[in-house]
Amino acid sequence: WRAIERLPGITEDFFVNDIKADLHDVDTVYVVVDDHKSGDFTPYIFKSTNRGGTWTLISESLPERHVVWRIVQDHERPGLLFAATEFGVFFTIDGGGQWVKLAGGVPVISFRDLVIQKRENDLVGATFGRGFFILDDYTPLRHITEQSLQAEALLFPVRDADWYIPKLPLGDFEENGKSSQGDSFYVAPNPPFGAVFTYFLKDGLKTSEEQRREQEKKLEEQGEDTPYPGWDALRAEEVEDSPAIILTVSDADGNVVRRVEGPIEPGFHRVAWNMRYPAPDPVDLDPDTDFAPWESPPQGPLAVPGTYSVSMSKRVNGEMVELPSPQAFVLKPLFEGGLVTNCLLYT
């Protein structure tokens, strides 16, 4: 053993919050330190490629005052790292050159620990007082490059989906996990059921009105007059179809099985297909119909196991344009060689 007495740019009385050996290079090591008790809240993540001989700071792009608590490395892509900070979780695809915050509904809270579940490729984070959070299947991050993020849209590879019928406790068709058992019965959401599609939009989709307003705001900021669009333009904006992202699922023969709409905002999104065809009676002529907890809403038949593909298209002003990179995936039966049925037992 030999002491690492000095790290560049930090006082000698720092705390060591984490230290990780690189999973792909025996000479590389990462260390997370902080000096917040001296009033220094700078995020410090150091990397050494010569077993601690010299150190380089790789956390300069993290926000100020984001004290770092943990760091973990992907077991397949060396440059993919995750950092738990005082205000969230960040990832980098280039070994610390640029850090990006993971959002997705995570509260602004201190994440004190991170671990990767290698079998499922899940990222698990433990917070200070707000419980655990799980990022299910972060493998799309392995396929990101700086060049690919310049594309208009990306559809990432799809993980094979387990084919089964989910359990519905007490006729829980709302899928909240507890049906009518009350708020005192604690549950947490499961991962989305079915085949999960992950995609990225660089700029998102906007209506003609939104595009016009953006141009007008730029003119207003410059102190210039905004031209009146005219009656015809306003009427066209009023009747314009809303933009949409359409994910089309097809079987091995190319037959369309289902079309699912997804969010249109910039960034990463996930949409789950429940492995079913469209409902034969999707239109309810009585808008006030309320389904009882034991009643199932309209739904189509379950698709058979096998190979499928998903493609992504954008609909802008009623025009459909297919986007590149369709992805293939498989619906795999959870049980092989058996017939699973529902039954009631009376005594």
Side-chain angles (χ1 to χ4, degrees):
W1 293 93
R2 58 185 176 87
I4 307 297
E5 298 179 353
R6 295 301 302 270
L7 290 173
I10 189 172
T11 60
E12 297 183 4
D13 54 350
F14 55 80
F15 287 85
V16 179
N17 289 340
D18 197 13
I19 183 169
K20 290 292 194 317
D22 192 280
L23 301 178
H24 308 273
D25 183 3
V26 296
D27 295 323
T28 300
V29 63
Y30 306 89
V31 62
V32 173
V33 303
D34 86 80
D35 194 24
H36 73 275
K37 289 195 174 182
S38 298
D40 183 4
F41 297 92
T42 304
Y44 290 112
I45 304 177
F46 291 96
K47 176 182 179 180
S48 173
T49 57
N50 54 10
R51 305 193 181 196
T54 57
W55 296 87
T56 302
L57 184 67
I58 62 170
S59 55
E60 292 179 308
S61 68
L62 284 172
E64 297 180 356
R65 303 179 67 84
H66 276 244
V67 173
V68 183
W69 297 101
R70 288 290 183 271
I71 186 170
V72 291
Q73 182 185 34
D74 181 45
H75 47 284
E76 292 192 11
R77 181 173 176 176
L80 179 55
L81 306 173
F82 299 91
T85 78
E86 186 68 18
F87 301 105
V89 179
F90 292 76
F91 78 94
T92 176
I93 60 175
D94 56 4
Q98 181 66 39
W99 291 90
V100 179
K101 188 174 183 179
L102 289 171
V106 175
V108 179
I109 192 65
S110 175
F111 276 81
R112 295 300 178 93
D113 206 356
L114 290 177
V115 68
I116 292 176
Q117 213 284 356
K118 294 183 179 180
R119 184 192 65 196
E120 302 295 338
N121 295 299
D122 292 346
L123 179 68
V124 184
T127 70
F128 186 79
R130 294 290 292 272
F132 292 90
F133 290 85
I134 302 176
L135 173 59
D136 299 301
D137 186 23
Y138 67 80
T139 55
L141 298 180
R142 294 176 182 160
H143 302 275
I144 295 176
T145 64
E146 292 186 10
Q147 294 76 18
S148 65
L149 292 180
Q150 301 306 312
E152 178 185 7
L154 292 174
L155 179 61
F156 295 98
V158 182
R159 182 162 65 175
D160 294 343
D162 290 327
W163 185 87
Y164 65 96
I165 298 177
K167 181 181 179 181
L168 301 176
L170 299 181
D172 179 21
F173 293 104
E174 296 181 358
E175 299 181 356
N176 60 16
K178 59 184 176 182
S179 187
S180 58
Q181 298 173 84
D183 288 339
S184 61
F185 182 77
Y186 173 78
V187 295
N190 285 320
F193 169 73
V196 179
F197 310 134
T198 305
Y199 62 93
F200 169 80
L201 298 177
K202 180 183 178 183
D203 300 317
L205 305 180
K206 298 181 177 65
T207 63
S208 299
E209 180 183 2
E210 291 172 336
Q211 297 176 21
R212 173 176 59 83
R213 285 297 299 141
E214 286 185 354
Q215 295 298 324
E216 291 175 347
K217 288 179 181 179
K218 293 179 181 179
L219 294 175
E220 292 171 359
E221 292 174 355
Q222 298 172 3
E224 300 180 11
D225 293 333
T226 56
Y228 183 72
W231 169 256
D232 293 337
L234 293 176
R235 179 59 178 169
E237 292 176 357
E238 184 179 5
V239 300
E240 177 185 3
D241 290 335
S242 299
I245 289 292
I246 309 296
L247 297 160
T248 303
V249 179
S250 304
D251 61 18
D253 297 326
N255 301 312
V256 175
V257 176
R258 189 73 179 270
R259 291 185 175 91
V260 183
E261 288 197 22
I264 63 174
E265 294 78 15
F268 291 89
H269 302 286
R270 271 187 167 160
V271 176
W273 169 48
N274 63 358
M275 301 187 289
R276 291 185 177 274
Y277 285 83
D281 51 349
V283 178
D284 185 3
L285 299 180
D286 184 4
D288 297 326
T289 300
D290 292 326
F291 292 99
W294 55 86
E295 292 180 320
S296 173
Q299 61 181 4
L302 197 65
V304 299
T307 301
Y308 293 80
S309 65
V310 58
S311 60
M312 184 167 62
S313 304
K314 65 177 181 179
R315 185 185 68 206
V316 179
N317 199 14
E319 181 181 356
M320 292 283 291
V321 178
E322 186 169 348
L323 300 171
S325 303
Q327 302 291 340
F329 62 97
V330 177
L331 301 186
K332 301 186 303 181
L334 195 60
F335 301 98
E336 295 289 348
L339 179 62
V340 180
T341 61
N342 292 328
C343 62
L344 296 177
L345 177 64
Y346 294 90
T347 59

